[in-house]
Amino acid sequence: MRSDALHRLAVLLCLLSLAGCYDGDPSDFREAVVVGREGVTALAIDGEVPVLEVGATLRLHAMATTDAGTADLSGEASWRSSNPAAVVVDRNGVITAVGNGSADITAELAQFRDTVTVQASDAVLTAITVSGDAAVDECGTGDYTASGHYDDGTDRDITSLVQWSVTDATVARMSTLATERQRLLSLQAGSTGVLATRGGVVSPAFMVTVADNLDAIDVTPDTLADIPIDADRQFTATGTWGAVSGDITRNTTWSVASVDPDDTVATILNGDSGAGLLTAREGGDGTVTGACGGQQDSVPITVVYLDSLAITNARPVTVVRGGTVLLVLEGTYSDGSVLALNERATWSTTVGSGVTVSNIAGTRGLVTAGTTTGVWTVTATVEGLSASVSVQVTN
Amino acid sequence: MSIRVAAFAPALLFASTVLVATPVLAVEPMVGAELTWTHIRVAGETFNPLGARARLALGLTADWEIGVVGGSGIEDDSEVAVSTALGEFYAGYVRYSASIDDDARLVLTAGYGETTLDVTSALPGFPGEQTYSGLVYGLSLQERLSRHRNWIGSLDFERWYDDEGLTITTVSYGFRYAF
């Protein structure tokens, strides 16, 4: 009898439990933290949104104005569609047209929000026409638009929806940057076709002639010495066409040659992201060359390596209990130059030490004494070299 | 109020099942108080507000216990211009313990609870009070104090929430008195 009653109570409680279960939504908290961390002051959905064919997808970007500039916070924002029967949107801002109609797509980040209207159509794309610059300077750029022709008789600008390509990749290439995929960057004189492709529909080639008119290329800086290993340096290339000059860093083919062929003193990036960015790899001399359209310019570089490391504080290094002392770390490089290296070092103390040492940016090397008197060793390590000092904690 | 009832329901359900299945040896009421350090992780940041909580429990057998625990924040924590304070938090639970030695026991906890956080900032429009509920589970170490065997010290590690990039974990230390 007692057992039956308990069983019935258990079932009742279970049902109550299931009906009462609910969860809070962490997104508000998450967004508040992002807004606070990034210093967000405004939010806007970036770019124009074309009419989307049913089944097509497009990524929207929630661009935040922050203390440090702008930042793409699409992944942090909350997205919603006013009409999911026409357009749906996922948590990263990727919209998909699912039926005829329009929908307001809203991105929200804490108290900030922006809305764009997206049109969805079930008309079928039948042809694409490309238009734009038919003549381009050697190592210059050209811009193109794509017009889509649909089976309902409408023509729409689908520049941002198509995939761009060229017929001769030795003459030119299309930009890979999301904001300018319709931009052609020429590499040498010649001719090439520009193609726009979407959903199996390919445009006729729009022919582009690249003139043989680049007079010179100038790589800057003219020379780079004393580049520490692992440091980055940005090179730029300027092209000259008669009396006109312009930045051709992304058109340029960059390379690094080491004086000693067994060494790789540095590597350098090509393409749209980070073109001309050199990273020093090992000590030695080399040459950076930028080439485009039959012209080239070279500059010498020297990558230096750390020869020795020293903590330069006057000895003995003492600190009162609970007090602090900043250690000063200096490195001597292979060319004789001396640099302060506190912020590049990894600082440590022995296990059980009576002092702590900061590895926080801006305060690296700051020793804080505990409450126990004694002598402890603090070590700084950079590029495999170490320097140590005894720190005495006094009353 | 219905939420509170629901929160304790699984624990009571489990306890009632135990009562049906296991002969009751002795019912041992307990009260306790604990200090709770909370580790909240969200959007790559961590907040560590402090709270205090009270516990009412019933030892059903030497191994099984049911109870409720609830408390409130006592110190908030701020990161990236956002301040997070513990509001009220509750859970109903069932515990199973196993002896480690004569005085110490290792305890597994499962239950259901909710945590209220107050998220504020100097910037306008911040979410304010947020309530998160879900499965509560954890591991504890309990030790009967040798000189007063009615007193038990406990160290509890519990996960109170884990969903959509937000986790709430607590570490609590306190004492309880078994009547």
Side-chain angles (χ1 to χ4, degrees), chain A residues 2 45 95 97 161 203 262 290 300 320:
Chain A
R2 178 174 178 241
I45 297 175
I95 57 174
L161 297 178
S203 71
D262 293 333
V320 296

Side-chain angles (χ1 to χ4, degrees), chain B residues 36 50-54 70-75 86-89:
Chain B
T36 299
L50 282 177
R53 66 188 193 182
S72 182
I74 56 176
E75 185 176 302
L86 268 177
E88 295 175 335
F89 54 100

